[in-house]
Structure formats: structure tokens, C-alpha cells
Amino acid sequence: MGRLAQTDGLTEIQRDILATVRDFVDKEIIPVATELEHKDEYPTAIVEGMKQLGLFGLTIPEEYGGLGESLLTYALVVEEIARGWMSVSGIVNTHFIVAHMINAHGTQEQKDYFLPKMAAGEIRGAFSMSEPGLGSDVSAISTKGVKDGDFYVLNGQKMWLTNGGTSTLVAVLCKTDEGGSSPYKNMTTFLIEKTAGFGPNPTVPGLTVPGKIEKMGYKGVDTTELVLQDVRIPANRVLGGVPGKGFYQMMDGVEVGRVNVAARGCGVARRAFELGISYAQQRSTFGKKIAEHQAIQFKLAEMATKVEAAHQMMVMAARKKDGGERNDLEAGMAKYLASEYCKEVVEDAFRIHGGYGFSKEYEIERLYREAPMLLIGEGTAEIQKMIVGRRLLEEYRIAE
């Protein structure tokens, strides 16, 4: 293990967790990741291993059977997992977001029912906000929930659900028109339990997961649509028990999710650096190892600096949230920086590999297809810049 991406001030428990996860990644994920990714095969054995390690309950409080760890611990674990295979970190990410939302905003009944099962990995979560024509404008959602006695009837189509097929719990954002004139007070999050699988759901009439969306990268993990046709959900499955708070609950989930995506970018970039610096010391041109050429040394120096900068920004954003402080500025910066730097570090490692980087026999080919997803997930670079820019104007507003 090199000196890059180290984190100061960790407890002994945090160091032990990271050492265990790192060992798991090196032994159980990296050796099989490329083969499974090329087959677009769900990593069942890896997921079972993560369940045994308790990773699905990493941040869930101990009173509900989890480990009660911080966002920082979780982000560092995600960084290690993404270093092995980014798709695996996606499997645990949406689960983590839903668990966070239930723990932060759920009723006591919802916490007591869902969190112990989520900590054990018996229930696995997915997060559903986007729609086919939505883009980044969340206020324009069209999926509707209409009150009908003690139930809500849901109709609409959702898009880009990570774990849409394999999950058994989906947090779905719908328009409910119960909060007055503001669109942001007319959205509600529903907790929908379902059976894992594709097609019409046998336990939730009207709910359909059509199938996997074929992607250029981020394979193995299933990304799906979700179709709702007169789906009846009990009113006690409104997150928090009160309609109209869905937008704010989802944004809280996205905020911690941005730290997660930053961590994924850090992990993929670190792996790309490892592959690049290793290959540079093995490949020879013009009578010497290419690592001895000044041009390659410059490239390695730039890559390492980006890996380190992204890691430290991610750590700062996580610690802000753990400290109870508002962290949308830092989370936006971290997500923007880590995803952009990840793309650049992966491309530089790809260039170092030369023609071999284009071959599916080399791991860097997989990373080259995975990195672009991070530029989009949890908000594009442009969205992060909007968030950061608005927050900076709040912080530095001049007196008029």
C-alpha cells in the first residue's frame, strides 16, 4: 500500500474496518471483477461476502443491528470497494442512501421495521427520483400519488434505478399535490416493498421492472426503469408519515450520495494510478523502462496529485456532515473534483498502456468505460457548479 490517499485521525476501529475491506477487495473482488464485468454478471458471491462483513449495516445505528459508523467510515469503505470494481460500490450505495433517509426522516415504526433487516442485508434498498424526461429538474416530476382513504394510488414511470431489479425496497419520489403552491412541498417519498426480479412484480400489483438497461460501463449492477400503474401503497409507508416532505428528504439523501460518488471517483482513480505506475515500470521503449522517460514521470506526478487532492476533498466533505454541519458546498466540490479528476487519471493511465489499454485483457479498459458514469451520477458537473456557485454567493454576499 503506497502513501497516497491516506486519512489522518482515524480510530483503531476505523483502521481495522478499512484493512478488512481492503483485504476483501484484493482477494475477492479484483481477481474476478473484469471477467464478471465483461459478462455483465451480477456479483452474487461478492454481495454475500459483503453481507457477512456487515457492510450493508455499516452506518445503521447499533440499536437496529448495524455498526453505527460515520459517513467518513462509509466513504472510505466505498473508496476501497470502487478501487476493486465500481459496480460493487453501486450495489451498496443506493442501499446506504435509503437507510440514511429512513434513519434520519422515518417514523419510529418505519425504523423498527426496516433498519434491522437492512442492516442484515435481508432487505436491500434502491433510490428512485429520476424520470425519462426529467433531467436535473426534480420539480418537474410527473409520477403522481393520489390519496384514497388509507392508501395512495401511484402512477408514472421512473428511470435510472440502480439495483432496480435486485432490490426489495424502493424509495420512490412522487408528486402528491397536498402542499400548496410550492412544487417543492408537493412531493412525497414512498417506501415500496417488492420482490426482487424483473417483469410484473408478484407482490405489488401494478408495479413492473421491465428489465436491465444496457450500458457501456457500470455493468454487473442492474440499472432499470420502474413503471407504476395504479399501485396502492398504505399511507403508513409515506416516509416520515407526513406527505409533502419528499423533496427535502431526497435532497438529504443525494447530499450524502454525492460524498459517496466522490469516494467512488477516488477509488477508481487510485486503481488507475496503480495500474499506470505498475505498467510504466514493466514496459520498455528506446532501451529503457517507460517510467524512466521524463514525459511519463510528469504524467505520473500529475495523476498522483489529482488522486491525493480528490481524496482529501472527499474526506473533508464527509467530516463536515459527520460534524452536523451543512456540507452541500463541500459535497458539491468533492463530487465535481473527484469525478473530473477520475476521468483524467483513468485516461492518463490508458495512454500509458498504449495499444494494450485498448485490449479487454487489461483492466484499464474496464476503468475507461466506468469513469464516465461518475460525471453524471448524483448530478452532473454543471449541477455541482450551480450548487457551489450559489453557496459561495451566500457566504460572500456583500452588504448593499
Side-chain angles (χ1 to χ4, degrees):
M1 181 179 174
R3 66 183 294 172
L4 289 183
Q6 298 299 300
T7 309
D8 294 331
L10 297 181
T11 66
E12 185 176 350
I13 291 175
Q14 288 174 313
R15 290 194 297 270
D16 287 345
I17 290 172
L18 291 175
T20 300
V21 173
R22 192 176 300 119
D23 184 64
F24 178 77
V25 168
D26 288 339
K27 292 179 179 178
E28 306 297 334
I29 298 182
I30 289 177
V32 300
T34 296
E35 180 183 357
L36 291 175
E37 196 271 350
H38 287 164
K39 293 179 180 178
D40 198 6
E41 182 176 326
Y42 188 78
T44 302
I46 293 173
V47 170
E48 286 301 313
M50 292 196 299
K51 284 172 64 175
Q52 293 174 17
L53 290 176
L55 297 187
F56 285 100
L58 187 62
T59 61
I60 293 173
E62 293 181 15
E63 63 188 285
Y64 300 111
L67 297 179
E69 277 295 326
S70 63
L71 175 60
L72 174 62
T73 305
Y74 178 77
L76 295 175
V77 165
V78 165
E79 182 179 27
E80 292 294 341
I81 293 173
R83 174 182 156 267
W85 183 13
M86 191 184 74
S87 292
V88 177
S89 67
I91 290 170
V92 73
N93 176 44
T94 54
H95 177 88
F96 157 72
I97 291 176
V98 175
H100 168 80
M101 290 169 60
I102 292 173
N103 186 52
H105 306 288
T107 65
Q108 192 59 53
E109 183 271 336
Q110 290 167 352
K111 295 177 186 179
D112 291 340
Y113 178 78
F114 287 113
L115 292 181
K117 296 177 182 179
M118 296 184 79
E122 296 172 12
I123 287 179
R124 297 222 299 277
F127 174 84
S128 180
M129 182 168 61
S130 188
E131 296 181 2
L134 191 61
S136 300
D137 184 8
V138 180
S139 66
I141 65 168
S142 59
T143 299
K144 290 202 70 171
V146 178
K147 189 79 182 296
D148 181 19
D150 292 332
F151 288 80
Y152 279 84
V153 180
L154 311 184
N155 282 280
Q157 182 178 3
K158 309 300 281 189
M159 192 71 173
W160 306 120
L161 277 76
T162 300
N163 300 316
T166 50
S167 62
T168 52
L169 171 65
V170 187
V172 182
L173 185 66
C174 299
K175 183 182 292 186
T176 47
D177 293 339
E178 295 176 285
S181 59
S182 171
Y184 300 105
K185 294 181 180 179
N186 280 298
M187 289 183 264
T188 299
T189 303
F190 293 91
L191 300 173
I192 304 178
E193 285 188 271
K194 69 179 187 66
T195 304
F198 300 96
N201 200 271
T203 56
V204 185
L207 186 146
T208 302
V209 178
K212 292 198 300 184
I213 298 170
E214 296 296 328
K215 302 162 292 187
M216 65 177 281
Y218 198 39
K219 294 178 178 290
V221 59
D222 48 295
T223 304
T224 74
E225 298 173 72
L226 183 73
V227 179
L228 304 112
Q229 295 179 310
D230 294 329
V231 174
R232 292 178 65 82
I233 299 297
N236 65 3
R237 286 296 178 260
V238 168
L239 179 59
V242 179
K245 297 185 177 181
F247 175 78
Y248 307 100
Q249 294 163 348
M250 285 276 175
M251 289 303 102
D252 182 34
V254 167
E255 196 171 280
V256 296
R258 285 186 178 128
V259 176
N260 171 280
V261 173
R264 284 200 257 181
C266 292
V268 174
R270 180 145 59 94
R271 183 59 179 166
F273 172 79
E274 292 170 356
L275 294 172
I277 198 168
S278 175
Y279 186 81
Q281 295 173 79
Q282 299 172 46
R283 172 74 168 160
S284 295
T285 61
F286 302 102
K288 58 183 178 181
K289 302 295 184 183
I290 63 172
E292 298 175 25
H293 292 288
Q294 189 179 62
I296 299 299
Q297 290 179 10
F298 283 1
K299 196 175 293 292
L300 291 171
E302 292 168 359
M303 292 162 67
T305 301
K306 290 172 181 176
V307 167
E308 186 67 21
H311 173 84
Q312 299 302 336
M313 177 66 79
M314 178 270 292
V315 168
M316 180 181 69
R319 281 183 161 148
K320 281 272 187 181
K321 187 75 171 179
D322 285 334
E325 298 181 62
R326 183 177 176 180
N327 84 327
D328 53 344
L329 174 67
E330 291 78 12
M333 286 180 168
K335 193 276 174 183
Y336 168 59
L337 191 76
S339 58
E340 294 291 334
Y341 276 179
C342 175
K343 172 186 70 81
E344 294 170 9
V345 171
V346 167
E347 183 170 340
D348 282 341
F350 177 82
R351 290 172 183 268
I352 287 172
H353 280 75
Y356 288 105
F358 209 62
S359 168
K360 287 192 173 184
E361 295 181 21
Y362 283 75
E363 190 178 340
I364 192 63
E365 179 269 344
R366 169 169 61 84
L367 270 61
Y368 194 76
R369 287 183 291 102
E370 289 178 338
M373 197 286 290
L374 297 171
L375 300 172
I376 302 166
E378 314 300 346
T380 63
E382 290 72 25
I383 290 296
Q384 308 311 317
K385 290 176 186 177
M386 284 173 56
I387 293 168
V388 171
R390 288 171 181 170
R391 285 288 287 115
L392 289 173
L393 286 171
E394 288 179 25
E395 293 285 340
Y396 289 88
R397 189 171 303 280
I398 60 173
E400 296 181 358

